Amino acid sequence: MIRIIMFLSALMLTVASEAQKREMRGAWIQCVNGQFQGIGTKKMQSTLTYQLDELQKDGVNVIIFQVRPECDALYESKLEPWSRFLTGQQGKAPSPYWDPLQWMITECHKRGMELHAWINPYRAKTKGTKQLDQRHITVQKPMNCFAYDGQFILNPGIPENRDYICEVVKDIVSRYDIDGLHMDDYFYPYPVKGESIPDDELFLDHPNGIKDQGDWRRYNVNLFIEQVYKTVHETKPWVKVGISPFGIYRNRSTSYVGSNTNGTQNYDDLYADVLMWVNNGWLDYCVPQIYWEIGHKAADYETLINWWNQYANARPLIIGEDVERTAKAPDKKNPQIHQQAAKMALHRQMPNVSGTVLWYAKAAVDNIGNYGSNLRNVYWKYPALQPSMPFIDGKAPKSVRKMKPIWTEDGYILFWTAPKGDSWEDKAVKYVVYRFRKGEKLDISNPAKIVAITNQPFYKLPYERGSEKWVYAVTALDRLQNESKVIKKKIKL
């Protein structure tokens, strides 16, 4: 026990010195596991409130919330029916009535978190769904989908389906103040022995000059990814597009570009050419699902994080992390502890890794293997801004104005005025508050000096006796979290 405590103490000192100021720290909140199905408005809101509060303490700054699991909606939609994963019956509105997506946006923004709306683009029916609403796309247009392994899939080879999904995407982006639009790894379905995708006739009739059926399927998905990216950014340029592909692009036995692994492949089995999307700029961040352990025989975690770091660095690279598997796998060098420390060390060693998304939120909230405690006390102890995305916008807003501490009936408050800005690129939407001791170097690159990231133009000061001198510094952030120059104020607390 003493050895473990000494190890953790040394680890905390090491990690604190390596704290990242810009890092996506995300968590997926899914509905398809049935955690919200039929529990009612009040219970679901209290469950989500608890999860968000705990994740905020853990340092999470992005929530990826599943809102469209099977061409349905966990939000108010005129295009698709309410999800059974919300009410227990597809097409049935929640009672008492509420809009989960809008509620989550409000709650996340209140906590300084981003909200990314997660959709499954092509999946139209999961295995467990027995009844479809009359408004559902597969009821309205049954020829536009195919059955596969108990599921219904919108056929990616039909252009009308691309347009339909993009219409849904535009509806979400235009009506909701989301920070990102997120898709996971379901494009063409995962291969199942004895099943085949029934699109031979469509390929023969509309090959688009492509001879190989696999290339044709990849072409269909590529067209969709490019179209949805343009749809999002033409609607709201600041909304980020993220994709979380399966953890293996290709195996080396298949391609010289592949990783030294042996498993299902994005390119060959799911027809998802992720490297093309990254290199063509058809997404803003990529979150490969590297859910395996360090030392896994078929898909070693260390092998894969090195591969993605090398090949997928044209856009911010975020690692999809399986909390439960990490917390249950013994460390290869020290079996008395699990693999969280070793994996986080690999993150820090990779120059192109810009964060982590946790699969899944509840596992971190349940603190399996002290995973959540380690985040809040060690790895994510200090706040972090989002990774820079200069390919969308790299210009910082102007500095805050008229900064002044004022006594109010609520205490000693540091107020400031927002900088002037005419467009989304230069308007301030958040502020970073730093605190330094008298004589200390004003180093805003050090995240340990951040005391708040807030969307309010004020900060309540921790006044005690008025005898200690401090320097408070404030910067402005725009939609893409570009940071302004600093304005400082000497204050006695």
Side-chain angles (χ1 to χ4, degrees), residues 15-272:
V15 173
S17 67
E18 297 174 350
Q20 306 295 301
K21 182 177 173 180
R22 288 190 178 269
E23 188 173 45
M24 182 183 285
R25 300 170 177 175
W28 281 291
I29 296 182
Q30 84 276 42
C31 66
V32 291
N33 64 345
Q35 65 173 320
F36 307 126
Q37 188 168 313
I39 66 174
T41 300
K42 187 176 180 180
K43 177 65 174 175
M44 183 171 172
Q45 288 180 350
S46 67
T47 300
L48 286 169
T49 296
Y50 175 72
Q51 290 187 7
L52 293 178
D53 286 345
E54 291 302 298
L55 292 167
Q56 182 183 21
K57 294 172 189 173
D58 289 344
V60 168
N61 59 20
V62 174
I63 297 295
I64 302 176
F65 182 54
Q66 191 174 26
V67 299
R68 185 183 181 266
E70 49 178 5
C71 294
D72 53 358
L74 274 84
Y75 61 95
E76 187 175 297
S77 173
K78 293 181 179 179
L79 301 175
E80 298 187 313
W82 285 101
S83 175
R84 77 170 177 92
F85 293 109
L86 178 63
T87 63
Q89 178 185 333
Q90 192 175 92
K92 181 181 178 182
S95 179
Y97 187 85
W98 70 307
D99 184 325
L101 175 55
Q102 183 55 59
W103 188 90
M104 283 291 285
I105 292 167
T106 301
E107 292 298 313
C108 286
H109 287 177
K110 192 164 68 178
R111 291 169 174 80
M113 299 171 170
E114 290 194 350
L115 188 284
H116 293 207
W118 163 19
I119 70 166
N120 299 94
Y122 289 115
R123 187 174 63 196
K125 186 187 84 68
T126 58
K127 287 184 179 183
T129 299
K130 306 301 180 186
Q131 187 174 356
L132 297 169
D133 186 76
Q134 288 300 308
R135 292 176 56 211
H136 195 264
I137 185 66
T138 60
V139 177
Q140 296 289 320
K141 297 186 177 182
M143 300 304 292
N144 280 20
C145 73
F146 59 78
Y148 189 93
D149 190 35
Q151 305 175 86
F152 289 164
I153 309 293
L154 291 183
N155 195 328
I158 299 176
E160 184 182 358
N161 285 337
R162 295 196 293 271
D163 295 338
Y164 171 72
I165 300 166
C166 286
E167 183 184 6
V168 171
V169 166
K170 185 173 183 178
D171 177 59
I172 295 171
V173 174
S174 63
R175 292 194 298 116
Y176 292 93
D177 187 23
I178 60 173
D179 302 287
L181 190 285
H182 187 88
M183 293 177 284
D184 59 16
D185 51 328
Y186 292 104
F187 297 101
Y188 277 91
Y190 275 78
V192 174
K193 189 175 182 180
E195 295 259 357
S196 60
I197 298 172
D199 62 356
D200 292 352
E201 187 175 339
L202 185 64
F203 169 57
L204 291 172
D205 289 345
H206 303 283
N208 295 314
I210 300 171
K211 295 181 179 180
D212 179 80
Q213 193 168 9
D215 288 340
W216 175 77
R217 289 173 180 165
R218 280 182 286 275
Y219 170 78
N220 295 331
V221 179
N222 290 342
L223 287 177
F224 166 70
I225 298 298
E226 182 180 20
Q227 185 176 343
V228 78
Y229 186 80
K230 289 180 178 178
T231 297
V232 170
H233 284 286
E234 286 172 0
T235 306
K236 286 180 180 174
W238 61 86
V239 173
K240 304 163 188 174
V241 177
I243 295 177
S244 56
F246 184 69
I248 299 172
Y249 175 68
R250 302 188 85 180
N251 299 311
R252 188 170 295 170
S253 59
T254 306
S255 168
Y256 70 93
V257 178
S259 52
N260 187 20
T261 50
N262 180 25
T264 301
Q265 305 168 101
N266 275 294
Y267 185 92
D268 304 87
D269 302 317
L270 304 177
Y271 308 100

Side-chain angles (χ1 to χ4, degrees), residues 273-288:
D273 191 353
V274 185
L275 288 192
M276 174 182 276
W277 310 341
V278 170
N279 291 326
N280 285 1
W282 293 345
L283 46 79
D284 299 314
Y285 67 91
C286 181
V287 193

Side-chain angles (χ1 to χ4, degrees), residues 460-479:
K460 186 173 182 178
L461 295 162
Y463 185 85
E464 291 183 359
R465 298 177 301 277
S467 58
E468 281 201 66
K469 294 180 180 180
W470 297 87
V471 175
Y472 276 79
V474 176
T475 59
L477 302 176
D478 62 16
R479 284 275 191 178

Side-chain angles (χ1 to χ4, degrees), residues 361-396:
K362 188 176 182 298
V365 170
D366 290 346
N367 201 23
I368 297 172
N370 288 320
Y371 193 102
S373 296
N374 292 338
L375 291 178
R376 71 179 66 181
N377 296 322
V378 184
Y379 303 107
W380 294 351
K381 182 178 180 179
Y382 304 113
L385 309 185
Q386 295 300 326
S388 299
M389 295 187 177
F391 44 86
I392 301 177
D393 171 38
K395 184 180 178 182

